[in-house]
């Protein structure tokens, strides 16, 4: 194991919405936008401290970023979901999506909770052979192998606004395949949201036509 051990972020369980409504230390009511921006900046700092990484997992040469500590502690989990909600408001000003599409398996850790918080539906992209009924299929290559993804044919309705979410973008192969599935279902992809990016793999270059937002982006 390397880097930091899991720590709970200092953040309280105050929701993003509640935080908007609080006054600052001087007693003035800060603008909702600047309050949200400050909350988001603080959350990113705290969440970074919680991540850890493992060398040579699952195969030699891969530096594996472990996101599980984000979910091990309720304060970190709450900070994450609040931060993702704020990131969506900041990065995708066109309004809420109709559906959040999350990728098997780590996109399932926070995608449904985020969809619930936004009051929208959640749809699953699963590895081949796991979903019953008629499905659409797309092949993809990722950082350490090839695979197939599927979605149920009725998971997204034609014209629905779709936000695709996953924990990590590495080569971008998984997210690209998820986008192909949404396009097969005639969904309208409004964007891609990731918690973090593995640098040096140019994953974003594979995702054309919709904005990409990364919560823990260094830029
Ligand atoms: O950008 P890419 O190169 O496609 O890599 C990113 C994908 O790889 C990881 O999933 P993985 O396939 O390891 O499956 P898991 O979520 O089931 O662990 C990660 O959760 C992303 O989905
Ligand atoms: N380096 C990495 N760490 C964690 N998850 C990954 N998925 C693809 N590449 C990864």
């Amino acid at each position: 194991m390397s880097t930091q051990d899991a720590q709970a972020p200092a953040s309280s369980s105050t929701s993003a919405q509640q935080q908007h409504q609080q006054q600052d230390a001087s007693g003035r009511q800060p603008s909702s936008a600047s309050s949200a921006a400050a909350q988001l900046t603080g959350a990113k700092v705290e969440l970074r401290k919680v991540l850890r990484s493992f060398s040579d997992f699952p195969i030699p040469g891969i530096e594996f970023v472990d996101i599980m500590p984000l979910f091990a502690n309720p304060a970190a989990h709450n900070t994450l979901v609040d931060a993702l909600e704020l990131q969506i408001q900041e990065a995708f000003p066109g309004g809420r999506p109709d559906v959040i599409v999350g990728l098997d398996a780590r996109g399932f850790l926070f995608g449904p909770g985020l969809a619930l918080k936004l009051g929208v539906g959640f749809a699953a992209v699963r590895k081949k052979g796991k979903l019953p009924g008629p499905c659409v299929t797309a092949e993809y290559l990722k950082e350490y192998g090839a695979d197939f993804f599927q979605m149920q044919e009725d998971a997204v309705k034609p014209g629905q606004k779709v936000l695709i979410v996953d924990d990590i973008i590495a080569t971008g192969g998984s997210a690209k395949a998820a986008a192909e599935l949404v396009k097969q279902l005639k969904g309208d992809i409004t964007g891609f949201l990731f918690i973090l990016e593995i640098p040096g793999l140019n994953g974003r270059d594979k995702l054309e036509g919709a904005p990409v937002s990364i919560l823990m982006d260094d830029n």
Side-chain angles (χ1 to χ4, degrees), residues 62-65 106 143-144 168 170 198:
I62 301 290
E63 186 69 19
F64 189 89
V65 182
R106 285 175 261 160
E143 198 181 0
Y144 38 76
I168 286 173
I198 303 297

Side-chain angles (χ1 to χ4, degrees), residues 81 85 88 96 98-100 110-123:
V81 178
E85 183 189 17
I88 289 170
R96 284 186 309 181
D98 299 313
V99 184
I100 287 190
F110 63 94
L114 186 58
L116 188 62
K117 197 165 171 56
L118 296 180
V120 306
F122 176 82

Side-chain angles (χ1 to χ4, degrees), residues 59-181:
I59 57 172
I62 301 290
E63 186 69 19
F64 189 89
V65 182
D66 183 20
I67 63 156
M68 293 308 171
L70 293 172
F71 304 97
N73 177 287
H77 192 170
N78 194 65
T79 300
L80 173 69
V81 178
D82 277 356
L84 289 168
E85 183 189 17
L86 291 171
Q87 185 82 8
I88 289 170
Q89 290 165 4
E90 186 177 276
F92 307 108
R96 284 186 309 181
D98 299 313
V99 184
I100 287 190
V101 164
L103 274 59
D104 191 347
R106 285 175 261 160
F108 299 171
L109 294 172
F110 63 94
L114 186 58
L116 188 62
K117 197 165 171 56
L118 296 180
V120 306
F122 176 82
V125 169
R126 293 222 59 187
K127 288 172 187 162
K128 191 178 176 186
K130 300 290 186 184
L131 290 168
C135 290
V136 288
T137 304
E139 186 175 11
Y140 66 104
L141 288 175
K142 54 188 186 176
E143 198 181 0
Y144 38 76
D147 216 332
F148 292 89
F149 268 154
Q150 291 187 319
M151 288 183 79
Q152 290 173 310
E153 278 183 4
D154 59 359
V156 171
K157 309 284 182 294
Q160 280 191 312
K161 291 191 293 176
V162 173
L163 178 65
I164 296 175
V165 306
D166 203 4
D167 63 330
I168 286 173
I169 179 168
T171 66
S174 304
K176 179 171 183 243
E180 284 169 12
L181 293 174

